[in-house]
Amino acid sequence: MTPHESSLLTYLLMLLQLLLPLTVSSLHPPPVHVPTLVPHTPMPLLRSRFSAHTQLDFGTHCNSSCLRRGEQEAQREQLEEKLAFETLYADGSRTLTTVDVEGEEEFEAHTDQPSRRRLKPRRRRVRRQIYGADGRFNIQGDNFLLDYPFSTAVRISTGCTGVLVSQQHVLTAAHCVHDGKDYVKGARKLRVGFLIPPSINGTGDSLTSSKKPLIRWVRVRRTRVPKGWIQGPQEVSMDFDYALLELRWPHRRPFMRLSVAPSSDDLAGKRIHFSGFDSDRSGELVYRFCPVEEESSDLIYQHCDARPGASGSGVYGRVWDNSLERWERKVIGIFSGHQWLEIDGENRNYNVAVRITPLKFAQICYWVHGNRLDCVHD
């Protein structure tokens, strides 16, 4: 076999590996049972002081016991307490809604998640959030900025990113609006920004303009944050670092549907993707993708390059949709920040996304639809 033939064969084998998960239907994961959350009547709370400061460079430290926490069986009362949620309204008023998890089957669904894979030996990384050569791509021009999936990324006025998950809702990271003790100052008049490309705002040609897009800001009507973020140590709260923003009126852009996060083995190409507004590339939308390195019951560990400002980005993958019988891009997590893992005395740094578990899906779905009956199935 000549070197040219050998290279061609290698290329064809790589292409076959990429296409295999898209063509072999027998490998598709079974449907996931989504539990039912029963909300109670909201209880009024004191108005927020809005005393916290936004922390864009969010990071935590986790040891081996912390990493195994998601694999341990939680008490029903503890989990229901974390799934309770606060609602912050535009006038500064707040309510607390407690929930029940209906039935034993639904509660057990929370623990029916991929267990943590064995961590592979790896040399210690000393750079935070950018790993080796920078693998990020700036998204420019109407043909990309207004096209799906990049058009689903929006800016949060506190300095973060969000993703459109309905015609009126944006999913982002909880730490972008709340520091675990109080709402950040910028949450008092929270806004969501939609990119307007140069050709539409009249400042340049869609393909050749070097001008940055403008932003159209829309006020947020109400914000919902899980109690799992508001209470407890920072390391525990990272599992619940997500919030949902409801806009004052619907937008007209395409949005990305949510999905319970499958095991990385059930993602097409075993890769995740997300786009955000990284602080070192002001005014630009930045896209990246990378393989999943590790995963626990509540977190996705990866080395996708990111900088402060990308927090709250919708982490998506190609997930098999049983109803459509095809692979679809769906939001399976929310980019949170970075975490140092201390395993056997060795520190390892990862960028981390909060994975959407069946219970978190049920909670976020209820926030979007306002009717738990619409959230029984994906």
Side-chain angles (χ1 to χ4, degrees):
M1 180 180 297
T2 66
H4 175 73
E5 291 173 332
S6 178
S7 299
L8 181 61
L9 179 60
T10 301
Y11 172 78
L12 291 175
L13 288 174
M14 292 175 60
L15 185 62
L16 179 62
Q17 289 179 342
L18 290 174
L19 293 177
L20 186 60
L22 303 176
T23 56
V24 183
S25 60
S26 62
L27 298 181
H28 298 153
V32 176
H33 174 71
V34 176
T36 302
L37 263 63
V38 182
H40 296 166
T41 302
M43 299 176 293
L45 299 172
L46 295 176
R47 288 177 175 266
S48 172
R49 294 178 294 125
F50 298 102
S51 62
H53 297 281
T54 307
Q55 183 181 358
L56 296 182
D57 189 10
F58 181 61
T60 62
H61 186 275
C62 177
N63 56 28
S64 57
S65 61
C66 162
L67 189 62
R68 288 193 297 268
R69 182 184 59 249
E71 300 171 11
Q72 298 170 353
E73 185 176 353
Q75 296 296 320
R76 173 191 288 270
E77 294 78 9
Q78 293 176 340
L79 191 55
E80 289 177 341
E81 186 177 357
K82 294 180 184 297
L83 290 169
F85 57 90
E86 277 194 14
T87 302
L88 172 69
Y89 297 90
D91 63 359
S93 61
R94 295 186 298 154
T95 59
L96 171 65
T97 304
T98 57
V99 300
D100 289 332
V101 180
E102 201 170 71
E104 292 295 329
E105 279 187 13
E106 288 81 356
F107 175 68
E108 291 171 359
H110 174 73
T111 59
D112 188 20
Q113 293 290 314
S115 59
R116 181 177 64 85
R117 294 179 291 175
R118 182 177 178 84
L119 288 168
K120 300 177 286 296
R122 195 177 280 115
R123 67 181 179 87
R124 179 175 177 176
R125 296 179 179 268
V126 296
R127 300 184 67 188
R128 289 168 42 162
Q129 297 190 283
I130 298 293
Y131 301 96
D134 194 337
R136 298 173 296 165
F137 304 89
N138 283 16
I139 304 302
Q140 299 175 327
D142 293 8
N143 294 337
F144 295 105
L145 286 174
L146 293 181
D147 280 355
Y148 185 87
F150 306 119
S151 59
T152 65
V154 292
R155 290 192 64 177
I156 310 299
S157 57
T158 55
C160 292
T161 302
V163 59
L164 300 172
V165 293
S166 85
Q167 290 183 334
Q168 205 167 347
H169 294 90
V170 175
L171 190 63
T172 188
H175 77 261
C176 296
V177 297
H178 197 290
D179 73 346
K181 296 180 180 179
D182 192 12
Y183 291 91
V184 301
K185 182 178 180 180
R188 187 189 296 271
K189 295 182 179 180
L190 195 60
R191 298 177 299 164
V192 169
F194 292 77
L195 286 185
I196 307 297
S199 67
I200 293 181
N201 62 50
T203 60
D205 181 80
S206 62
L207 295 177
T208 61
S209 174
S210 61
K211 294 182 179 296
K212 296 179 180 179
L214 296 181
I215 298 177
R216 178 174 62 87
W217 294 100
V218 177
R219 288 290 299 274
V220 171
R221 179 186 173 201
R222 59 184 174 184
T223 302
R224 282 172 163 161
V225 181
K227 286 289 286 182
W229 168 258
I230 296 173
Q231 61 187 21
Q234 194 177 56
E235 290 81 2
V236 175
S237 301
M238 197 174 199
D239 297 349
F240 291 86
D241 187 14
Y242 58 92
L244 190 78
L245 316 181
E246 181 180 333
L247 304 177
R248 279 195 169 181
W249 39 73
H251 61 84
R252 297 183 179 180
R253 299 199 177 184
F255 59 87
M256 193 176 299
R257 294 177 60 201
L258 294 169
S259 172
V260 174
S263 165
S264 62
D265 293 333
D266 294 325
L267 288 173
K270 300 182 179 181
R271 290 190 296 267
I272 58 171
H273 315 247
F274 60 97
S275 300
F277 296 92
D278 300 47
S279 58
D280 63 335
R281 301 190 184 184
S282 177
E284 301 284 356
L285 180 63
V286 184
Y287 162 75
R288 76 232 69 198
F289 67 92
C290 66
V292 175
E293 299 281 347
E294 312 291 345
E295 51 190 335
S296 69
S297 299
D298 286 287
L299 300 175
I300 300 171
Y301 295 92
Q302 30 78 23
H303 285 140
C304 284
D305 292 324
R307 296 295 296 162
S311 295
S313 300
V315 174
Y316 64 90
R318 288 186 177 271
V319 180
W320 180 254
D321 190 305
N322 287 295
S323 61
L324 299 176
E325 295 188 347
R326 68 187 185 205
W327 295 85
E328 288 280 306
R329 295 184 185 93
K330 292 188 180 182
V331 178
I332 61 171
I334 306 93
F335 180 63
S336 177
H338 56 92
Q339 185 175 88
W340 283 98
L341 294 182
E342 184 181 344
I343 307 296
D344 298 328
E346 180 184 359
N347 284 319
R348 304 172 189 176
N349 190 16
Y350 293 91
N351 280 340
V352 179
V354 179
R355 68 183 305 133
I356 298 178
T357 64
L359 278 174
K360 292 174 186 174
F361 176 90
Q363 182 188 54
I364 298 170
C365 183
Y366 172 76
W367 290 347
V368 170
H369 294 285
N371 182 356
R372 63 188 179 91
L373 298 179
D374 292 333
C375 303
V376 175
H377 300 288
D378 183 356

